[in-house]
Amino acid sequence: MTGALSNLRVLDLSRVLAGPWAGQILGDLGADVIKVERPITGDDTRSWGPPYLKDKDGKDREAAYYLGANRNKRSICVDLAHPDGQAIIRNLVAKSDILIENYKLGNLARFGLDYESLSAINPGLVYCSITGFGQSGPYADQAGYDFIVQGLSGLMSVTGKPDGPPTKVGAAVADLTTAMYGVIGILAALRHRDQTGEGQHVDMALFDTQMGWLANQNMNYLIGGESPKRIGNAHLNIVPYQDFETSDGYIIVCVGNDRQFKRFCDALGAPELARNPSFETNDLRVRHRDLLVPQLAEIIRRESTEHWLSKLLAVNVPHGPINSIAQAFADPQARFRQMRVDMAHPLGVDVPTVACPIHLSKTPVSYRLPPPLLGADSDAILEEIGIDEAARASLREKGAIG
């Protein structure tokens, strides 16, 4: 069975995380993704370790970081600064549907590989640029990193304990959400191309995405007129909706309505709290959280995490533990949903990868290719565009390819 995007070819000129993640999503959905890398060094993340995947002889080889974002791709090494390398990219563009790049503003224009130049070769090309601040604006020519954008967008101002410093999220959410929005933009542009034959430029910025992704936090400011503050793991608009310390760990409780609150209080052995006029509705609980939460915390602290997990499950109150990543992969739900996928790797070992979370009933995600070794597919890809063995040898001698 072929994937939903198996008729598409993607040129992935990006490196590190946001661009490669977008390319991996498209690859998981069936697209032929060609990862274009610098000769010798390749994607920066190939060396971002430890940890590294070890080969069959136990030698460190590929960094876990690189392996996490480059499944279902083929790798070709091309020097974009070399005229012959640029010619190869133009040749590939003529036979491609999508190009993803995350170079600084203007860098690819110096090589004639910008959208305007390449769309003249292939008018149907969907060209996605992923940068820190987009193709316009006062910051457009600045480098943008996930950490910087988490701070600049306001995300860190609402993350962390009230009496602690601003804190970044533990994963690169600005990169990853930009990748996902980028894929949405690409698919929308392809739909337009199907109707008109015209490609277009998809301009994605980490900063724009992170601001848009703040959702209700932004709206709390826009409607209420005040910037939300850090409140730890609690929720600005729902109470109780936070973590609580137990006798041996922590538990998360998410009470979404007044009926759940009554059942929650019954499970705690404190039904009187649900009858208290100050706590009868969520609006009142939000207004009186400083009075309610300490009482709940005192009760929950008396028993173990497992005790409360069992109690809340019995009364259908949303809850959960705080797992380590190891515990998350061991969780029965993660096992049932097959969130770990092991793939045979050319190094003679299996590489564990994280499953794509998209489940399609007719065209399911496929795991065809492990993250490629640097330049592993150069010869095959060049042969596909008519560059024979003698010509490839000449290009290597010139340094245009690796």
Side-chain angles (χ1 to χ4, degrees), residues 51-118:
Y52 295 94
L53 178 69
K54 296 181 184 296
D55 62 21
K56 57 184 175 55
D57 299 319
K59 181 180 178 182
D60 287 346
R61 294 293 296 272
E62 300 280 28
Y65 198 119
Y66 162 78
L67 295 169
N70 290 286
R71 177 180 58 219
N72 284 330
K73 300 180 185 181
R74 299 189 288 160
S75 172
I76 180 174
C77 291
V78 180
D79 183 355
L80 301 188
H82 195 289
D84 288 337
Q86 297 158 18
I88 290 170
I89 298 301
R90 295 188 188 98
N91 195 327
L92 287 168
V93 162
K95 301 173 177 64
S96 298
D97 302 278
I98 301 159
L99 185 147
I100 301 172
E101 61 90 9
N102 61 354
Y103 283 79
K104 285 187 66 176
L105 182 67
N107 276 13
L108 289 182
R110 294 188 294 117
F111 306 138
L113 301 177
D114 54 307
Y115 171 68
E116 286 72 19
S117 299
L118 296 184

Side-chain angles (χ1 to χ4, degrees), residues 294-314:
Q295 296 183 64
L296 299 175
E298 182 181 355
I299 296 170
I300 294 172
R301 198 178 296 116
R302 297 171 188 165
E303 302 287 350
S304 69
T305 298
E306 192 57 41
H307 171 87
W308 293 120
L309 291 174
S310 177
K311 281 280 191 180
L312 297 182
L313 180 63

Side-chain angles (χ1 to χ4, degrees), residues 67-390:
L67 295 169
N70 290 286
R71 177 180 58 219
N72 284 330
K73 300 180 185 181
R74 299 189 288 160
S75 172
I76 180 174
C77 291
V78 180
D79 183 355
L80 301 188
H82 195 289
D84 288 337
Q86 297 158 18
I88 290 170
I89 298 301
R90 295 188 188 98
N91 195 327
L92 287 168
V93 162
K95 301 173 177 64
S96 298
D97 302 278
I98 301 159
L99 185 147
I100 301 172
E101 61 90 9
N102 61 354
Y103 283 79
K104 285 187 66 176
L105 182 67
N107 276 13
L108 289 182
R110 294 188 294 117
F111 306 138
L113 301 177
D114 54 307
Y115 171 68
E116 286 72 19
S117 299
L118 296 184
S119 62
I121 297 170
N122 180 354
L125 181 69
V126 173
Y127 187 112
C128 180
S129 296
I130 298 178
T131 58
F133 300 102
Q135 302 295 299
S136 60
Y139 301 162
D141 60 354
Q142 295 185 23
Y145 293 87
D146 179 276
F147 191 6
I148 294 170
V149 169
Q150 286 198 37
L152 193 61
S153 67
L155 174 62
M156 289 177 60
S157 75
V158 295
T159 306
K161 295 291 186 181
D163 55 351
T167 304
K168 75 178 183 68
V169 179
V173 291
D175 278 326
L176 298 174
T177 53
T178 302
M180 291 187 286
Y181 275 106
V183 169
I184 294 169
I186 287 168
L187 295 178
L190 288 171
R191 179 62 173 157
H192 173 77
R193 189 190 70 171
D194 290 343
Q195 297 170 330
T196 67
E198 297 176 338
Q200 59 183 295
H201 193 186
V202 181
D203 173 11
M204 297 301 307
L206 272 67
F207 179 71
D208 299 353
T209 300
Q210 189 57 75
M211 284 205 67
W213 190 65
L214 280 172
N216 61 297
Q217 295 280 25
N218 279 340
M219 291 305 296
N220 285 335
Y221 161 69
L222 292 173
I223 298 299
E226 294 185 9
S227 291
K229 302 295 192 296
R230 292 187 299 283
I231 57 172
N233 294 325
H235 196 292
L236 280 174
N237 307 110
I238 309 173
V239 174
Y241 194 107
Q242 65 183 80
D243 63 316
F244 288 95
E245 186 175 3
T246 67
S247 64
D248 61 355
Y250 291 86
I251 187 171
I252 294 169
V253 175
C254 298
V255 172
N257 57 55
D258 299 334
R259 297 183 304 279
Q260 288 179 357
F261 183 65
K262 181 181 183 305
R263 297 200 300 272
F264 177 56
C265 292
D266 289 344
L268 265 56
E272 70 279 1
L273 290 177
R275 296 192 295 267
N276 188 315
S278 296
F279 310 142
E280 287 181 338
T281 67
N282 180 68
D283 178 88
L284 290 168
R285 292 192 294 275
V286 170
R287 296 176 188 277
H288 299 109
R289 79 166 71 224
D290 292 344
L291 178 61
L292 172 61
V293 169
Q295 296 183 64
L296 299 175
E298 182 181 355
I299 296 170
I300 294 172
R301 198 178 296 116
R302 297 171 188 165
E303 302 287 350
S304 69
T305 298
E306 192 57 41
H307 171 87
W308 293 120
L309 291 174
S310 177
K311 281 280 191 180
L312 297 182
L313 180 63
V315 296
N316 198 27
V317 170
H319 65 282
I322 298 178
N323 283 337
S324 68
I325 292 177
Q327 290 170 326
F329 273 104
D331 191 277
Q333 183 70 13
R335 288 180 177 273
F336 188 88
R337 299 287 283 184
Q338 298 179 309
M339 289 308 299
R340 170 175 170 158
V341 177
D342 291 338
M343 305 180 72
H345 194 276
L347 293 176
V349 296
D350 285 348
V351 56
T353 68
V354 184
C356 178
I358 301 170
H359 293 263
L360 298 170
S361 63
K362 301 296 184 183
T363 53
V365 162
S366 60
Y367 303 96
R368 308 176 309 281
L369 301 171
L373 295 173
L374 179 60
D377 307 289
S378 291
D379 286 337
I381 294 168
L382 292 171
E383 190 171 342
E384 289 171 8
I385 59 175
I387 299 177
D388 62 23
E389 185 176 354

